[in-house]
Amino acid sequence: MPFLSLTIATKLGGVADMPEGRAAIQRDLDSLDKWTDRNLMKFNKGKCKILYLESKNPRRQYMLGATDLESSLAEKDLGVLVDTKLKVSQQCALVTKKADYILGCIRKSIASRARQVILSLYSALVRLHLACCVQCWALQYKRDMDILERVQ
């Protein structure tokens, strides 16, 4: 019998500025936990995190079943790393680091310095990392644009 492994990303959100909103989020978490029990599924509760999106947010502790959920300063969604202020500066830094690493590998391992060879490798290996999810980034800061353009 073949084994099938599924990874399902579940996002739950809500406005928690009033006690009713916080109670609704906890109710949703409770019903989600009951649903997984009924359907014989399990969440990896160690990977479940809370991302508070506003500095004035009252940092209420939530639970999934009997497990307290940890808070996080940044989370990846649709391949883009977003922090609590919805900034993507960390994403830009990670992409730049990866692109620089690939450029270093090209420099060390390719003997030819012919323009056509380097451009082909750059287009195939580096540019795809710089363009990945760029539609979601919404670059707002000049320094983020500068570090990405420095690679190019």
PDB file of all heavy atoms in Angstrom, residues 39-55:
ATOM      1  N   ASN A  39     -11.602  13.829  12.275  1.00  0.00           N
ATOM      2  CA  ASN A  39     -11.123  13.351  10.977  1.00  0.00           C
ATOM      3  C   ASN A  39      -9.808  12.589  11.064  1.00  0.00           C
ATOM      4  O   ASN A  39      -9.173  12.340  10.036  1.00  0.00           O
ATOM      5  CB  ASN A  39     -11.009  14.525  10.007  1.00  0.00           C
ATOM      6  CG  ASN A  39     -12.355  15.067   9.634  1.00  0.00           C
ATOM      7  OD1 ASN A  39     -13.105  14.427   8.911  1.00  0.00           O
ATOM      8  ND2 ASN A  39     -12.697  16.225  10.170  1.00  0.00           N
ATOM      9  N   LEU A  40      -9.401  12.261  12.285  1.00  0.00           N
ATOM     10  CA  LEU A  40      -8.183  11.487  12.539  1.00  0.00           C
ATOM     11  C   LEU A  40      -6.954  12.122  11.896  1.00  0.00           C
ATOM     12  O   LEU A  40      -6.119  11.464  11.296  1.00  0.00           O
ATOM     13  CB  LEU A  40      -8.358  10.048  12.055  1.00  0.00           C
ATOM     14  CG  LEU A  40      -9.549   9.296  12.661  1.00  0.00           C
ATOM     15  CD1 LEU A  40      -9.693   7.938  12.009  1.00  0.00           C
ATOM     16  CD2 LEU A  40      -9.405   9.174  14.165  1.00  0.00           C
ATOM     17  N   MET A  41      -6.875  13.433  12.018  1.00  0.00           N
ATOM     18  CA  MET A  41      -5.718  14.180  11.529  1.00  0.00           C
ATOM     19  C   MET A  41      -5.048  14.841  12.723  1.00  0.00           C
ATOM     20  O   MET A  41      -5.667  15.034  13.761  1.00  0.00           O
ATOM     21  CB  MET A  41      -6.152  15.243  10.526  1.00  0.00           C
ATOM     22  CG  MET A  41      -6.783  14.686   9.280  1.00  0.00           C
ATOM     23  SD  MET A  41      -7.339  15.979   8.178  1.00  0.00           S
ATOM     24  CE  MET A  41      -5.804  16.608   7.578  1.00  0.00           C
ATOM     25  N   LYS A  42      -3.786  15.182  12.556  1.00  0.00           N
ATOM     26  CA  LYS A  42      -3.078  15.852  13.639  1.00  0.00           C
ATOM     27  C   LYS A  42      -2.289  17.022  13.079  1.00  0.00           C
ATOM     28  O   LYS A  42      -1.725  16.949  12.002  1.00  0.00           O
ATOM     29  CB  LYS A  42      -2.115  14.883  14.332  1.00  0.00           C
ATOM     30  CG  LYS A  42      -2.804  13.799  15.099  1.00  0.00           C
ATOM     31  CD  LYS A  42      -1.805  12.946  15.845  1.00  0.00           C
ATOM     32  CE  LYS A  42      -2.544  11.882  16.624  1.00  0.00           C
ATOM     33  NZ  LYS A  42      -1.636  11.003  17.330  1.00  0.00           N
ATOM     34  N   PHE A  43      -2.286  18.088  13.831  1.00  0.00           N
ATOM     35  CA  PHE A  43      -1.418  19.220  13.532  1.00  0.00           C
ATOM     36  C   PHE A  43      -0.085  18.993  14.221  1.00  0.00           C
ATOM     37  O   PHE A  43      -0.034  18.442  15.310  1.00  0.00           O
ATOM     38  CB  PHE A  43      -2.001  20.533  14.077  1.00  0.00           C
ATOM     39  CG  PHE A  43      -3.067  21.127  13.219  1.00  0.00           C
ATOM     40  CD1 PHE A  43      -4.377  21.136  13.647  1.00  0.00           C
ATOM     41  CD2 PHE A  43      -2.758  21.700  11.999  1.00  0.00           C
ATOM     42  CE1 PHE A  43      -5.359  21.697  12.873  1.00  0.00           C
ATOM     43  CE2 PHE A  43      -3.736  22.259  11.214  1.00  0.00           C
ATOM     44  CZ  PHE A  43      -5.048  22.251  11.646  1.00  0.00           C
ATOM     45  N   ASN A  44       0.986  19.443  13.592  1.00  0.00           N
ATOM     46  CA  ASN A  44       2.262  19.503  14.282  1.00  0.00           C
ATOM     47  C   ASN A  44       2.212  20.793  15.097  1.00  0.00           C
ATOM     48  O   ASN A  44       2.509  21.873  14.607  1.00  0.00           O
ATOM     49  CB  ASN A  44       3.412  19.517  13.282  1.00  0.00           C
ATOM     50  CG  ASN A  44       4.753  19.484  13.969  1.00  0.00           C
ATOM     51  OD1 ASN A  44       4.857  19.715  15.173  1.00  0.00           O
ATOM     52  ND2 ASN A  44       5.782  19.214  13.197  1.00  0.00           N
ATOM     53  N   LYS A  45       1.805  20.676  16.331  1.00  0.00           N
ATOM     54  CA  LYS A  45       1.557  21.858  17.159  1.00  0.00           C
ATOM     55  C   LYS A  45       2.828  22.640  17.460  1.00  0.00           C
ATOM     56  O   LYS A  45       2.778  23.812  17.784  1.00  0.00           O
ATOM     57  CB  LYS A  45       0.827  21.455  18.446  1.00  0.00           C
ATOM     58  CG  LYS A  45      -0.571  20.929  18.135  1.00  0.00           C
ATOM     59  CD  LYS A  45      -1.305  20.482  19.357  1.00  0.00           C
ATOM     60  CE  LYS A  45      -2.662  19.925  18.950  1.00  0.00           C
ATOM     61  NZ  LYS A  45      -3.443  19.437  20.051  1.00  0.00           N
ATOM     62  N   GLY A  46       3.975  22.005  17.299  1.00  0.00           N
ATOM     63  CA  GLY A  46       5.241  22.715  17.460  1.00  0.00           C
ATOM     64  C   GLY A  46       5.481  23.722  16.352  1.00  0.00           C
ATOM     65  O   GLY A  46       6.230  24.674  16.513  1.00  0.00           O
ATOM     66  N   LYS A  47       4.849  23.514  15.198  1.00  0.00           N
ATOM     67  CA  LYS A  47       5.001  24.437  14.077  1.00  0.00           C
ATOM     68  C   LYS A  47       3.920  25.509  14.052  1.00  0.00           C
ATOM     69  O   LYS A  47       3.989  26.428  13.252  1.00  0.00           O
ATOM     70  CB  LYS A  47       4.951  23.662  12.753  1.00  0.00           C
ATOM     71  CG  LYS A  47       6.166  22.827  12.489  1.00  0.00           C
ATOM     72  CD  LYS A  47       6.065  22.202  11.120  1.00  0.00           C
ATOM     73  CE  LYS A  47       7.307  21.412  10.771  1.00  0.00           C
ATOM     74  NZ  LYS A  47       7.204  20.835   9.416  1.00  0.00           N
ATOM     75  N   CYS A  48       2.931  25.391  14.889  1.00  0.00           N
ATOM     76  CA  CYS A  48       1.853  26.381  14.927  1.00  0.00           C
ATOM     77  C   CYS A  48       2.327  27.613  15.698  1.00  0.00           C
ATOM     78  O   CYS A  48       2.766  27.501  16.837  1.00  0.00           O
ATOM     79  CB  CYS A  48       0.610  25.791  15.587  1.00  0.00           C
ATOM     80  SG  CYS A  48      -0.106  24.419  14.669  1.00  0.00           S
ATOM     81  N   LYS A  49       2.253  28.752  15.062  1.00  0.00           N
ATOM     82  CA  LYS A  49       2.761  29.994  15.650  1.00  0.00           C
ATOM     83  C   LYS A  49       1.709  31.088  15.560  1.00  0.00           C
ATOM     84  O   LYS A  49       0.824  31.058  14.724  1.00  0.00           O
ATOM     85  CB  LYS A  49       4.001  30.486  14.909  1.00  0.00           C
ATOM     86  CG  LYS A  49       5.116  29.485  14.792  1.00  0.00           C
ATOM     87  CD  LYS A  49       5.916  29.419  16.026  1.00  0.00           C
ATOM     88  CE  LYS A  49       7.112  28.499  15.786  1.00  0.00           C
ATOM     89  NZ  LYS A  49       7.565  27.854  16.931  1.00  0.00           N
ATOM     90  N   ILE A  50       1.847  32.088  16.411  1.00  0.00           N
ATOM     91  CA  ILE A  50       0.998  33.270  16.389  1.00  0.00           C
ATOM     92  C   ILE A  50       1.840  34.436  15.872  1.00  0.00           C
ATOM     93  O   ILE A  50       2.948  34.661  16.354  1.00  0.00           O
ATOM     94  CB  ILE A  50       0.479  33.622  17.800  1.00  0.00           C
ATOM     95  CG1 ILE A  50      -0.275  32.452  18.409  1.00  0.00           C
ATOM     96  CG2 ILE A  50      -0.394  34.862  17.751  1.00  0.00           C
ATOM     97  CD1 ILE A  50      -0.568  32.637  19.888  1.00  0.00           C
ATOM     98  N   LEU A  51       1.313  35.161  14.908  1.00  0.00           N
ATOM     99  CA  LEU A  51       1.981  36.351  14.391  1.00  0.00           C
ATOM    100  C   LEU A  51       1.074  37.540  14.699  1.00  0.00           C
ATOM    101  O   LEU A  51       0.009  37.692  14.115  1.00  0.00           O
ATOM    102  CB  LEU A  51       2.214  36.233  12.884  1.00  0.00           C
ATOM    103  CG  LEU A  51       2.961  37.368  12.222  1.00  0.00           C
ATOM    104  CD1 LEU A  51       4.383  37.467  12.763  1.00  0.00           C
ATOM    105  CD2 LEU A  51       2.984  37.202  10.719  1.00  0.00           C
ATOM    106  N   TYR A  52       1.477  38.349  15.671  1.00  0.00           N
ATOM    107  CA  TYR A  52       0.719  39.533  16.047  1.00  0.00           C
ATOM    108  C   TYR A  52       1.063  40.636  15.060  1.00  0.00           C
ATOM    109  O   TYR A  52       2.214  41.019  14.938  1.00  0.00           O
ATOM    110  CB  TYR A  52       1.065  39.975  17.466  1.00  0.00           C
ATOM    111  CG  TYR A  52       0.741  38.943  18.520  1.00  0.00           C
ATOM    112  CD1 TYR A  52       1.738  38.151  19.079  1.00  0.00           C
ATOM    113  CD2 TYR A  52      -0.570  38.756  18.940  1.00  0.00           C
ATOM    114  CE1 TYR A  52       1.438  37.211  20.044  1.00  0.00           C
ATOM    115  CE2 TYR A  52      -0.870  37.812  19.908  1.00  0.00           C
ATOM    116  CZ  TYR A  52       0.137  37.043  20.455  1.00  0.00           C
ATOM    117  OH  TYR A  52      -0.173  36.109  21.402  1.00  0.00           O
ATOM    118  N   LEU A  53       0.058  41.169  14.361  1.00  0.00           N
ATOM    119  CA  LEU A  53       0.323  42.108  13.278  1.00  0.00           C
ATOM    120  C   LEU A  53       0.258  43.579  13.663  1.00  0.00           C
ATOM    121  O   LEU A  53       0.328  44.433  12.813  1.00  0.00           O
ATOM    122  CB  LEU A  53      -0.653  41.855  12.128  1.00  0.00           C
ATOM    123  CG  LEU A  53      -0.453  40.523  11.414  1.00  0.00           C
ATOM    124  CD1 LEU A  53      -1.469  40.366  10.307  1.00  0.00           C
ATOM    125  CD2 LEU A  53       0.954  40.407  10.867  1.00  0.00           C
ATOM    126  N   GLU A  54       0.120  43.886  14.908  1.00  0.00           N
ATOM    127  CA  GLU A  54       0.071  45.292  15.301  1.00  0.00           C
ATOM    128  C   GLU A  54       0.806  45.448  16.620  1.00  0.00           C
ATOM    129  O   GLU A  54       0.712  44.607  17.500  1.00  0.00           O
ATOM    130  CB  GLU A  54      -1.383  45.749  15.445  1.00  0.00           C
ATOM    131  CG  GLU A  54      -1.522  47.232  15.605  1.00  0.00           C
ATOM    132  CD  GLU A  54      -2.975  47.655  15.665  1.00  0.00           C
ATOM    133  OE1 GLU A  54      -3.786  47.111  14.907  1.00  0.00           O
ATOM    134  OE2 GLU A  54      -3.279  48.524  16.480  1.00  0.00           O
ATOM    135  N   SER A  55       1.526  46.534  16.759  1.00  0.00           N
ATOM    136  CA  SER A  55       2.301  46.735  17.983  1.00  0.00           C
ATOM    137  C   SER A  55       1.409  46.938  19.204  1.00  0.00           C
ATOM    138  O   SER A  55       1.796  46.634  20.320  1.00  0.00           O
ATOM    139  CB  SER A  55       3.243  47.925  17.814  1.00  0.00           C
ATOM    140  OG  SER A  55       2.501  49.093  17.535  1.00  0.00           O
TER     141      SER A  55
END
